[in-house]
């Protein structure tokens, strides 16, 4: 494959281009000399494909459907409508979502759990093929979840780097073309410098490994909604976290044109006494993004983080009222699926109605990506918040 090249300075910090040293010759005056720097050209085997995949996902009026919940979390969703957590029921629900006619008009990528990547419909058609027919790029969750971070203030780190290269290669063979790794930062817990650095470094290593195996990495440093802090505190933490993430991405030679960022919106803590308007959230969020995220990144695919379906869409719409350096869109799970699940209720006769509900939410967010959404006519159910303290999946 043809590959774009990028430069890596193969020298210690004392030998960066432009640094000068002084040498004294006997009987001569002090003279300025320039060190020669060894420059190695590195070309990734998948670079062109990664850039093209990222551009395809970050296409106008489209965003990502996240259905990468673990089997345990999917079981909680099914339990909310009275279904047992069995593979058959999980398959039935995912089939409902992934075979929705016309979904590709609004959805450009779907993040799958490992089980789903290898599953087929009840008629034997691979889910990845269902997606391809709709021109939706299949993706895969590759992290192994959050565990306690020793030495921190009751914070977490994300595990899963061990064996990631071989797993990613297998996922690529199965049809996945992008990956997702979620780590979190908690404002009530500090956050500590250790937790921020661990989150940033882990995301950077994952991103480099993913690109090396043909998968566009979705970089997801979620700043949890937990807490009663004002929006100004969230902004402060977001600036620090995003800055550190992109520093380590660069350190790991990650190609920015072949990644997607999945941040949380800059909002007040979920327990703060005053809510912020969509316009305020858009202003704070875009300000930090412009300060910290290079324009080379093709897409900013926001997570909903427990906002109601309508809140998440209104906030996205507010961010698209003027041009941005990147494609500003969505990568929602609950904010696309909540009404769908309640419409379905596990009954075959409700599948068509549930798929229509998915299209309604997908279209609403498509319009928001284009800056043309109106909340007029939205149901009361779509306005209900879905915040869960310390949310894991």
């Amino acid at each position: 494959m043809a590959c774009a090249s990028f430069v890596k300075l193969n020298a210690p910090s004392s030998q960066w281009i432009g640094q000068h040293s002084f040498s004294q010759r006997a009987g001569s005056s002090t003279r300025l000399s320039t060190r020669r720097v060894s420059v190695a050209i590195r070309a990734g085997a998948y670079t062109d494909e990664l850039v093209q995949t990222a551009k395809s996902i970050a296409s106008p009026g489209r965003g990502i459907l996240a259905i990468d919940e673990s089997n345990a979390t999917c079981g909680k969703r099914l339990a909310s409508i009275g279904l047992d957590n069995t593979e058959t029921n999980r398959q039935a629900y995912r089939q409902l979502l992934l075979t929705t006619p016309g979904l590709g008009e609004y959805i450009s990528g779907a993040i799958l759990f490992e089980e789903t990547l290898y599953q087929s419909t009840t008629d034997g058609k691979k889910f990845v093929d269902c997606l391809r027919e709709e021109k939706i790029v299949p993706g895969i969750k590759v992290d192994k979840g959050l565990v306690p971070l020793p030495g921190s203030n009751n914070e977490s780190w994300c595990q899963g780097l061990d064996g990631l290269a071989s797993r990613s290669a297998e996922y690529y063979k199965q049809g996945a073309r992008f990956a997702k790794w979620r780590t979190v930062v908690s404002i009530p817990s500090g956050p500590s410098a250790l937790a921020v650095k661990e989150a940033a470094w882990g995301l950077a290593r994952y991103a480099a490994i993913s690109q090396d195996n043909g998968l566009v990495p979705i970089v997801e440093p979620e700043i949890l909604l937990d807490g009663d802090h004002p929006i100004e505190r969230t902004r402060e933490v977001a600036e620090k976290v995003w800055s550190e993430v992109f520093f380590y991405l660069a350190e790991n030679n990650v190609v920015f044109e072949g990644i997607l960022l999945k941040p949380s919106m800059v909002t007040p803590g979920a327990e703060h006494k005053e809510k912020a308007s969509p316009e305020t959230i858009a202003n704070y969020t875009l300000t930090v993004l412009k300060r910290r995220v290079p324009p080379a990144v093709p897409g900013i695919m926001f997570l909903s983080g427990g906002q109601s379906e309508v809140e998440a869409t209104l906030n996205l719409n507010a961010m698209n009222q003027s041009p941005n350096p990147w494609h500003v869109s969505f990568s929602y799970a609950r904010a696309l699926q909540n009404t769908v699940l309640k419409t379905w209720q596990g009954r075959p006769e409700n599948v068509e109605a549930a798929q229509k509900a998915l299209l309604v939410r997908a279209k609403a967010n498509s319009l928001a990506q284009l800056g043309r959404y109106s909340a007029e006519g939205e149901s009361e159910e779509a306005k209900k918040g879905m915040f869960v303290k310390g949310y894991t999946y």
Side-chain angles (χ1 to χ4, degrees):
M1 274 178 277
C3 307
S5 298
F6 57 96
V7 176
K8 178 182 179 182
L9 296 178
N10 194 18
S13 59
S14 62
Q15 294 180 332
W16 294 119
I17 289 176
Q19 180 160 330
H20 301 91
S21 65
F22 291 90
S23 61
Q24 180 74 42
R25 288 188 179 180
S28 68
S29 60
T30 302
R31 187 176 69 168
L32 185 65
S33 65
T34 304
R35 292 176 183 263
R36 296 178 64 86
V37 178
S38 166
V39 179
I41 304 298
R42 172 185 165 184
Y46 293 98
T47 302
D48 286 352
E49 182 182 348
L50 293 168
V51 172
Q52 186 54 47
T53 299
K55 284 182 179 178
S56 173
I57 296 172
S59 55
R62 300 207 295 168
I64 295 173
L65 170 64
I67 54 170
D68 56 322
E69 303 90 350
S70 67
N71 288 347
T73 301
C74 190
K76 292 177 183 177
R77 304 269 175 89
L78 295 174
S80 72
I81 57 170
L83 291 183
D84 292 332
N85 186 15
T86 64
E87 182 177 355
T88 299
N89 286 335
R90 294 193 298 270
Q91 178 197 33
Y93 180 54
R94 288 158 178 165
Q95 179 170 323
L96 179 161
L97 298 170
L98 299 178
T99 61
T100 297
L103 187 62
E105 184 176 350
Y106 314 115
I107 300 296
S108 55
I111 313 172
L112 311 177
F113 190 61
E114 187 175 57
E115 178 182 72
T116 317
L117 182 68
Y118 291 92
Q119 277 180 330
S120 301
T121 67
T122 50
D123 294 332
K125 188 174 184 177
K126 292 180 180 178
F127 282 148
V128 291
D129 291 335
C130 296
L131 292 171
R132 284 171 176 156
E133 287 183 6
E134 285 283 340
K135 294 183 170 51
I136 299 172
V137 181
I140 177 71
K141 168 187 163 72
V142 298
D143 68 75
K144 294 295 184 179
L146 301 169
V147 291
L149 176 62
S152 71
N153 185 27
N154 295 318
E155 295 164 284
S156 300
W157 68 284
C158 187
Q159 58 187 344
L161 289 178
D162 288 351
L164 179 58
S166 58
R167 286 189 288 121
S168 297
E170 288 301 316
Y171 297 149
Y172 184 91
K173 288 180 184 177
Q174 184 63 17
R177 288 298 178 267
F178 71 98
K180 195 206 82 164
W181 177 287
R182 173 192 183 245
T183 194
V184 303
V185 171
S186 169
I187 292 179
S189 294
S192 68
L194 173 65
V196 173
K197 184 173 183 177
E198 175 58 46
W201 178 256
L203 284 166
R205 290 306 304 141
Y206 137 78
I209 294 168
S210 295
Q211 288 192 338
D212 204 42
N213 289 280
L215 302 178
V216 168
I218 287 186
V219 176
E220 184 177 356
E222 179 175 357
I223 298 169
L224 296 171
L225 282 175
D226 304 54
D228 60 1
H229 50 276
I231 193 170
E232 290 80 9
R233 176 60 178 153
T234 309
R235 177 186 61 191
E236 180 184 9
V237 172
E239 283 201 35
K240 174 62 178 172
V241 172
W242 297 350
S243 174
E244 200 119 341
V245 166
F246 278 92
F247 172 80
Y248 284 117
L249 287 171
E251 287 281 288
N252 282 272
N253 296 314
V254 171
V255 181
F256 287 176
E257 292 85 351
I259 71 170
L260 296 166
L261 179 67
K262 182 173 178 175
S264 39
M265 297 175 189
V266 177
T267 70
E271 297 161 85
H272 188 63
K273 58 182 180 292
E274 293 181 14
K275 280 201 166 190
S277 68
E279 292 73 25
T280 299
I281 290 170
N283 179 52
Y284 274 78
T285 305
L286 291 174
T287 296
V288 183
L289 286 172
K290 288 171 183 175
R291 289 174 178 172
R292 294 292 180 261
V293 180
V297 175
I300 312 295
M301 320 299 287
F302 282 103
L303 57 91
S304 56
Q307 300 176 76
S308 75
E309 291 176 327
V310 171
E311 275 180 328
T313 310
L314 281 170
N315 292 338
L316 178 63
N317 185 71
M319 280 185 263
N320 282 294
Q321 293 307 300
S322 58
N324 291 301
W326 338 263
H327 174 80
V328 175
S329 192
F330 60 94
S331 178
Y332 293 162
R334 287 173 287 171
L336 281 172
Q337 297 179 52
N338 187 50
T339 301
V340 176
L341 193 62
K342 292 180 178 180
T343 302
W344 178 47
Q345 292 293 317
R347 299 172 184 167
E349 64 269 23
N350 292 343
V351 167
E352 186 176 347
Q355 289 179 330
K356 287 180 179 177
L358 176 59
L359 287 178
V360 166
R361 289 264 48 92
K363 183 178 180 180
N365 286 291
S366 170
L367 289 170
Q369 197 288 309
L370 299 170
R372 302 203 298 258
Y373 167 74
S374 167
E376 186 177 348
E378 289 279 18
S379 68
E380 289 304 311
E381 185 62 46
K383 297 175 183 176
K384 291 181 180 178
M386 292 174 279
F387 169 71
V388 177
K389 194 170 184 177
Y391 183 69
T392 59
Y393 64 96

